[in-house]
Amino acid sequence: MTERAIADRDIADALCEQVRSAYDARTPLRIVGGDTRAFYGRPVEGQALQMAEHSGIVSYDPVELVVTVRAGTRLSDLQEVLAEKHQMLGFEPPMFGEASTIGGAVATGLSGPRRPWAGAVRDFVLGTRIITQEGKLLRFGGEVMKNVAGYDLSRLMAGAQGTLGVLTDISFKVLPIPTATHSLRLTIGLDEALKKLAELGRKPLPITAAAWHHGELFLRLEGGKSSVAATQASLGGEPLDANFWQELRDHTHAFFTCSADQSLWRLSLPPNTAPLALDIPEADIFYDWAGSQRWLKTTLDASTLRDACSAVGGHATCYTPQLQGGAADPFTPLNAVVEKYHRNLKAELDAHGIFNPGRLYAAF
């Protein structure tokens, strides 16, 4: 595939007209790209604003490591274009299906195994074009890293789940694909693994992914050939199929299959947090991001999990709230101060609540 092979469709004017009509009629909109991330967050009731047709590469400068792409472009197509120039999206976005779009990846703000070492989605967003509540198409940010003129609304869109405006175009900083890569596994207990990860984290090693599950530590080394080879020799272990990281990223690994009575939870915790005192079998916990992100399959209730996370400065997100009969709010409730800022921001950018109402928080 080449850059020109991606269908180049700019339907921004039509999208603006739909938003203007919705704003005038106070009609809620459900922003839809590939619809592969609809499971994440609260369900939205509203008129569908279809984004998939708004696709294509607006511009791509491999020398400057910058690409601008329309929000409806499929992730797989964009990644193939970048790979032709030996480049990639540094935040390693999950793909929950072939229809996954880059707009959905930014809106949900989800990053893959490389996140602790390379950065989050918002760290790579340079600029955007956004349709405002009045149906105006405005540009924010730019195509350079140093852009400090005014409030950084572009990066605010990362993780907002379409509740503050409609993303139409996004400019990204991209990264070169590493020259060498090697994945390995070590047989090691949890306590020893966490100690080892903390020790490795203090050294300048070419680690770009680290996970642990059920007695095995998984590591990915990426960088220059000599650096990767030296680290590989030092760590030892058995070779690991590189597809392991893709399966972990996209939740196609066998671990993510829950039983009928289990829900899937994502715990986000400070670095070097010890194992939480939860009554969950070892096999039902998957440690990612060197332990800062933990996946749990459990029947425990939301309050038990969130209290345990809050006690160490973290939070818990339910990826399958429907399996608890709707009893589990997907997201940890905000404290009063943060909620105030969220409400003020929503009121300023979406006064009539037409953009994905209720997606993040029921009252917003």
Side-chain angles (χ1 to χ4, degrees), residues 14 16 42 92 127 148 186 190 198 219 247 268 317 331 335 358 360 363:
C16 287
R42 289 175 169 272
E92 204 170 4
V148 294
L186 299 166
L190 175 57
L219 296 171
E247 293 173 357
S268 181
T317 300
F331 303 108
N335 65 51
L360 278 176

Side-chain angles (χ1 to χ4, degrees), residues 23 27 55 117 125 132 134 183 209 230 245 308 336:
Y23 179 77
T27 302
S55 64
W117 294 270
V125 174
T132 67
E134 299 91 351
S183 294
W245 303 109

